[in-house]
Amino acid sequence: MQLLKKLRGMVNIEKAYNACDRAMGMLKDYAKDPDAFTGEKKEELDEVFQDAEEAALRILALEGQKNWPGIYREMRKNLATMYIDLGRYDDAEEQCEKLNEYGPVGRLDSEEMLEKLNDRRTGKVEEDKAPATPS
């Protein structure tokens, strides 16, 4: 039983990326049509998000112990994306602030996420930002 608990707590980077990708895909659909997520579908979304968040936070808990700055930056960007889609804007903003600590690439990621956050807060949809097609 102890071994099973220990294995559950292990850090698996690939599993974390996969969990975040799955959650972000579902959350993108949720952001487009929240009313479509009821009952079992909503429960599945909650579970998928919780797994992704826990996996990302487990990796981020190793900051200062492991030299994985690119992985930490990507996990923070993933969390910011998921939090924005869930409407957890304060949590997203916190991740954006921490992204700034990862040099020029982190600052670019932060700016991108803050723009997305601002758009979501003001009700601007992503389609509004798409370039116009020539007629």
Side-chain angles (χ1 to χ4, degrees):
M1 191 60 129
Q2 287 290 358
L3 178 61
L4 184 58
K5 285 183 180 180
K6 189 174 182 177
L7 288 175
R8 282 188 192 149
M10 287 180 54
V11 172
N12 184 325
I13 295 170
E14 183 178 358
K15 184 178 178 181
Y17 276 111
N18 290 338
C20 288
D21 287 343
R22 182 169 182 227
M24 287 186 295
M26 288 183 77
L27 287 167
K28 189 174 185 176
D29 292 340
Y30 174 77
K32 288 179 185 174
D33 186 11
D35 295 333
F37 285 80
T38 59
E40 288 182 21
K41 194 170 182 180
K42 176 69 166 98
E43 288 176 20
E44 180 186 5
L45 171 65
D46 292 343
E47 185 177 315
V48 167
F49 166 74
Q50 184 175 8
D51 289 346
E53 182 181 39
E54 287 174 3
L57 292 174
R58 202 170 13 255
I59 288 174
L60 290 171
L62 297 173
E63 274 187 300
Q65 297 174 28
K66 302 283 184 182
N67 188 20
W68 300 336
I71 293 170
Y72 300 137
R73 180 185 53 76
E74 290 176 359
M75 287 298 134
R76 291 203 182 281
K77 185 175 180 182
N78 289 343
L79 285 171
T81 300
M82 290 186 287
Y83 292 151
I84 290 168
D85 286 340
L86 281 171
R88 291 175 52 182
Y89 301 142
D90 291 341
D91 292 331
E93 199 167 326
E94 179 182 336
Q95 294 305 318
C96 291
E97 288 174 19
K98 291 180 180 181
L99 278 168
N100 285 312
E101 300 171 10
Y102 298 97
V105 175
R107 283 189 289 280
L108 286 173
D109 286 342
S110 178
E111 289 172 13
E112 176 189 344
M113 292 292 97
L114 287 170
E115 184 177 341
K116 184 176 178 182
L117 176 60
N118 187 47
D119 288 350
R120 193 61 62 89
R121 280 181 167 158
T122 61
K124 188 174 184 180
V125 292
E126 292 177 19
E127 289 81 28
D128 290 346
K129 295 172 61 175
T133 54
S135 5

